[in-house]
């Protein structure tokens, strides 16, 4: 198997499945404290699973070859937003471990230092770019800079996003609503817009947008976040139909 498959196997084996169904699919930040109270063993097991996966990624980036490098992305370029930590960092390391050149972005270039070091430790090329996805001009510049440096963008992972503070809908401030939608939805749209333009020039590519369980169900206290993730799902499916004949998925 390839590295991502093995990671998913780790998750399948280690992640607890006993959490209250009422909490499943909701932004973790909204219910972390509640889960700690109601499901302490589940939270501890989940934390342990994440730490074990992170240690495996660290070992790989430091030269532990017990996870075989397949090089299935050799010669290809991956563009990843929100890569300073979490899913974005893991994605960058996984692509690098399988031979890709990696462009990593986040709002603060300094925050990308550890991700860049771990990508370079695999032997992969890395391009570090400061980019606030809520600012379309920065997204356009980041995509252009990546294409200029590596010649193309074969894979894009639009992962940058934020959660909202748990608030009933009528109490959400307009500014907070706009902040969540500007980053999560408008930011993903801007990324796709410019990534697709580049992929059309080069004859194809693949895009993955990070969504959430909150993108397929309601979330108490999470109207802004859920709205953004539902919209991302619809936008992704629609764009897939728009560009299927152009070898973009």
């Amino acid at each position: 198997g390839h590295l991502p498959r093995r990671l998913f196997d780790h998750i399948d084996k280690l992640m607890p499945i006993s959490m209250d169904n009422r909490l499943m699919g909701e932004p973790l930040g909204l219910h972390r404290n509640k889960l700690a109270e109601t499901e302490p063993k589940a939270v501890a097991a989940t934390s342990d699973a994440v730490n074990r996966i992170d240690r495996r990624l660290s070992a790989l980036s430091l030269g532990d070859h017990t996870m075989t490098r397949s090089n299935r992305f050799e010669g290809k370029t991956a563009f990843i937003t929100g890569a300073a930590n979490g899913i974005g960092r893991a994605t960058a390391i996984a692509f690098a471990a399988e031979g890709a050149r990696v462009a990593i972005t986040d709002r603060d270039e300094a925050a990308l230092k550890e991700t860049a070091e771990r990508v370079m430790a695999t032997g992969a090329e890395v391009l570090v770019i400061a980019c606030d996805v809520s600012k379309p001009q920065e997204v356009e510049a980041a995509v252009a800079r990546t294409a200029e440096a590596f010649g193309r963008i074969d894979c894009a992972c639009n992962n940058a996003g934020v959660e909202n503070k748990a608030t009933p809908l009528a109490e959400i401030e307009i500014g907070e609503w706009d902040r969540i939608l500007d980053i999560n939805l408008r930011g993903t749209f801007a990324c796709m817009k410019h990534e697709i333009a580049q992929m059309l020039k080069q004859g194809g590519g693949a895009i993955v947008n990070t969504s959430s369980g909150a993108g397929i169900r309601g979330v108490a206290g999470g109207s802004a976040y859920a709205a953004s993730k539902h919209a991302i799902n619809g936008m992704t499916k629609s764009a897939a139909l728009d560009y299927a004949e152009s070898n973009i998925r």
Side-chain angles (χ1 to χ4, degrees):
H2 299 303
L3 173 60
R5 173 93 247 168
R6 294 190 181 196
L7 287 177
F8 295 142
D9 288 344
H10 271 301
I11 294 171
D12 289 341
K13 292 175 183 176
L14 299 174
M15 293 294 248
I17 59 174
S18 61
M19 293 184 184
D20 189 326
N21 286 336
R22 290 171 299 174
L23 303 181
M24 294 303 290
E26 301 186 2
L28 182 59
L30 299 180
H31 294 287
R32 192 175 287 112
N33 292 336
K34 185 184 291 185
L35 283 172
E37 294 173 2
T38 61
E39 296 284 353
K41 291 183 179 179
V43 171
T46 301
S47 178
D48 179 62
V50 171
N51 289 336
R52 289 169 67 180
I53 291 168
D54 188 63
R55 286 196 296 272
R56 295 294 289 150
L57 285 169
S58 296
L60 180 69
S61 67
L62 293 174
D64 179 350
H65 298 294
T66 57
M67 285 185 177
T68 305
R69 176 171 174 154
S70 70
N71 290 332
R72 62 174 171 161
F73 292 113
E74 187 170 5
K76 298 186 181 298
T77 299
F79 176 85
I80 302 159
T81 70
N85 50 47
I87 294 172
R89 174 181 292 170
T91 301
I93 295 170
F95 268 116
E98 298 218 21
R101 301 174 298 240
V102 180
I104 54 174
T105 79
D106 212 289
R107 287 181 296 180
D108 180 6
E109 185 171 329
L112 291 163
K113 182 175 184 294
E114 183 176 347
T115 302
E117 290 174 348
R118 291 172 66 172
V119 167
M120 287 187 290
T122 71
E125 294 181 69
V126 62
L127 177 65
V128 178
I129 306 173
C131 174
D132 182 344
V133 298
S134 69
K135 299 176 179 177
Q137 68 275 18
E138 292 191 14
V139 173
E140 182 177 11
V143 170
R145 184 175 167 192
T146 300
E148 181 179 1
F150 295 140
R152 56 190 294 117
I153 296 176
D154 299 282
C155 312
C157 179
N158 299 317
N159 174 69
V162 294
E163 294 178 354
N164 61 262
K165 181 179 179 181
T167 309
L169 187 144
E171 298 175 23
I172 300 173
E173 297 293 336
I174 295 298
E176 175 65 0
W177 174 273
D178 288 345
R179 182 182 76 88
I180 299 297
L181 273 292
D182 280 353
I183 296 171
N184 293 3
L185 179 57
R186 188 167 178 255
T188 301
F189 159 74
C191 288
M192 292 183 71
K193 176 180 174 64
H194 295 294
E195 291 158 359
I196 289 170
Q198 172 60 36
M199 291 175 180
L200 287 171
K201 294 177 185 177
Q202 66 195 33
I207 298 174
V208 174
N209 296 325
T210 299
S211 184
S212 167
I216 57 174
R217 53 159 291 165
V219 178
S223 294
Y225 182 83
S228 72
K229 295 302 183 177
H230 273 77
I232 284 174
N233 289 349
M235 178 174 65
T236 303
K237 293 174 182 178
S238 298
L241 296 174
D242 288 340
Y243 296 101
E245 293 185 359
S246 299
N247 196 34
I248 297 174
R249 57 187 175 89

